[in-house]
């Protein structure tokens, strides 16, 4: 076995077919054993619930090579748990946590030659997902489901340095109160596509969504949670029932508190107070944390004093520490790093 002939430093964030993926089917009230397969296409009824009523959920995590050459992944148990929460909300069967973590390990092992080497800043992105697969025409949950987990190598999120981005306050809503904003469902992304295309057309890199009910509180972007830093170095993240609980954000809050000794707060953040913050970052698996330099509110620019031209000191330190933990150069909290090979 040898590493695939891939220019690791120059692959983007796109899909590349790898050798094996895991597939398990749910029928007659239970999941089958599941298999690793080379088959990368899916054949389902033209009337499958996923195609008609968008009954689908997903997860995203990564496997990578540590400084000492181990292949590991980061907190897959939390992805498994979150996927169970997503499944319940969409009336889907849950895929058991132990089996989820096992599937992650199997898929990474079966595609080990696609795991980018340490230092390339590339990773093997893992995409578990599940969908209602049998024909449903009256609106109701499917009876049959498929769980799949594939792997695709992805390049460094920040090619050529990390530059703070400009985002805009979005006039579209992402998640209703008591809706589905807190789960990782495809439907949340389908309806965000227009908003993100529109943002890009207007020259902004992301949307800042406010709470749908009052439009006075900060929620998140289409795919990342916010962290803010106050003048006195307190790390603040918005609290809301309609935010997707980012594993990266939860990990960074622990890092801030336990590794950097900073004060942390998860609380409602009113939009009016963001001009008081000195740094802002977006957290998610792909980029860990990316700096936001400026928020554009219908033409009014809110600039973060310590992070508008380059990544601010607290966000930098958070990023450095979490990536150090992930890469094995800083001791990790118990259970955060799961060794595969
Ligand atoms: C996946 C996702 C995130 C980031 O979560 P991580 O677990 O850190 O990758 C944030 N917001 C939304 C809406 C998401 O779907």
């Amino acid at each position: 076995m040898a590493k695939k002939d891939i220019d690791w430093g120059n692959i983007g964030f796109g899909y590349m077919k790898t050798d094996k993926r895991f597939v398990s089917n749910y029928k007659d009230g239970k999941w089958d054993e599941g298999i690793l397969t080379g088959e990368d296409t899916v054949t389902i009824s033209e009337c499958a619930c996923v195609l008609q009523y968008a009954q689908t959920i997903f997860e995203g995590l990564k496997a990578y090579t540590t400084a000492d050459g181990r292949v590991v992944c980061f907190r897959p148990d939390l992805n498994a748990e979150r996927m169970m929460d997503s499944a319940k909300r969409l009336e889907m069967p849950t895929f058991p946590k132990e089996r989820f973590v096992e599937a992650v390990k199997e898929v990474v092992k079966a595609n080990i030659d696609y795991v980018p080497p340490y230092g390339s800043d590339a990773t093997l992105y893992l995409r578990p997902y599940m969908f209602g697969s049998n024909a449903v025409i009256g609106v109701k949950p499917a009876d049959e489901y498929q769980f799949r987990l594939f792997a695709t190598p992805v390049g460094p999120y920040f090619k050529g340095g990390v530059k703070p981005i400009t985002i805009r306050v979005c006039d579209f809503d992402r998640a209703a109160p008591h809706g589905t904003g807190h789960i990782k469902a495809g439907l949340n992304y389908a309806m965000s596509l227009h908003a993100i295309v529109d943002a890009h057309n207007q020259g902004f890199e992301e949307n800042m969504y406010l709470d749908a009910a009052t439009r006075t509180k900060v929620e998140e972007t289409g795919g990342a949670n916010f962290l803010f830093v106050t003048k006195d170095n307190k790390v603040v993240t918005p609290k809301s029932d309609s935010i997707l609980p980012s594993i990266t954000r939860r990990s960074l809050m622990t890092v801030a508190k336990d590794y950097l000794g900073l004060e942390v707060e998860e609380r409602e953040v009113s939009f009016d107070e963001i001009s008081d913050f000195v740094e802002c970052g977006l957290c998610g698996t792909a980029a860990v944390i990316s700096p936001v330099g400026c928020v554009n509110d219908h033409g009014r620019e809110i600039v973060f004093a310590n992070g508008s031209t380059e990544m601010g000191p607290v966000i930098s330190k958070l990023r450095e520490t979490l990536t150090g933990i992930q890469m094995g150069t800083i001791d990790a909290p118990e259970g955060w790093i799961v060794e595969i090979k």
Side-chain angles (χ1 to χ4, degrees), residues 58-61 79 82 125 174 181 183-185 188-189 220-225 243-250 283-286 288:
F58 67 99
E59 273 301 325
L61 68 160
N79 294 96
R82 193 168 65 187
Y125 184 75
R174 191 189 87 89
I183 62 163
K184 223 168 167 71
N188 291 333
Y189 282 78
E220 60 172 322
T221 67
N225 287 180
I243 289 176
L244 193 284
S246 157
I247 294 164
T248 315
R249 183 256 302 164
R250 288 181 267 163
C283 329
T285 293
V288 179

Side-chain angles (χ1 to χ4, degrees), residues 3-4 16 49 92 120 144 184 201 240 252 261 284 289:
K3 286 283 173 210
K4 299 286 174 182
M16 182 190 298
C49 197
M92 303 168 90
S120 66
E144 296 174 14
K184 223 168 167 71
N201 286 340
S240 157
L252 285 165
I289 185 162

